[in-house]
Amino acid sequence: MTSAKTRLRLKLQIVPRTELHKFIVPPRRWVVERTFAWITRSRRTVRDYERLPAHHETIVYWSMIIIMSRRLARHNQSHQLHPT
């Protein structure tokens, strides 16, 4: 049985430590962290309730579909209220 992590082929990037008093935004890593935070807002993705990795992958897709459809509905509703 393979896990979902091995099938995703994630790319690991080691960022060297900068000077202690300077803050530099790392390139685009926050996008992944933010997306994981959105996914974990769904109840079934917080714990490993699923037995098979394919089932968990389906729940992650389902969670993102709900998030995106709500955003699209909110976006379309705001454009209908204020036509340009």
Side-chain angles (χ1 to χ4, degrees), residues 64-79:
M64 288 306 295
I65 288 169
I66 290 174
I67 291 169
M68 295 308 294
S69 62
R70 286 181 181 165
R71 288 185 181 183
L72 287 171
R74 188 171 55 221
H75 178 74
N76 288 339
Q77 186 180 28
S78 67
H79 282 292

Side-chain angles (χ1 to χ4, degrees), residues 39-84:
I39 291 171
T40 56
R41 288 177 59 192
S42 298
R43 182 179 63 86
R44 286 186 69 176
T45 58
V46 174
R47 303 272 189 262
D48 281 332
Y49 293 124
E50 313 304 325
R51 290 185 181 194
L52 298 176
H55 293 171
H56 187 70
E57 181 181 1
T58 303
I59 298 300
V60 169
Y61 281 126
W62 174 70
S63 174
M64 288 306 295
I65 288 169
I66 290 174
I67 291 169
M68 295 308 294
S69 62
R70 286 181 181 165
R71 288 185 181 183
L72 287 171
R74 188 171 55 221
H75 178 74
N76 288 339
Q77 186 180 28
S78 67
H79 282 292
Q80 288 175 358
L81 294 175
H82 306 287
T84 53

Side-chain angles (χ1 to χ4, degrees), residues 13-16 24-35:
Q13 177 186 5
I14 299 174
V15 179
I24 301 172
V25 178
R28 303 284 294 173
R29 285 191 324 193
W30 59 271
V31 175
V32 175
E33 294 170 2
R34 180 190 63 200
T35 305

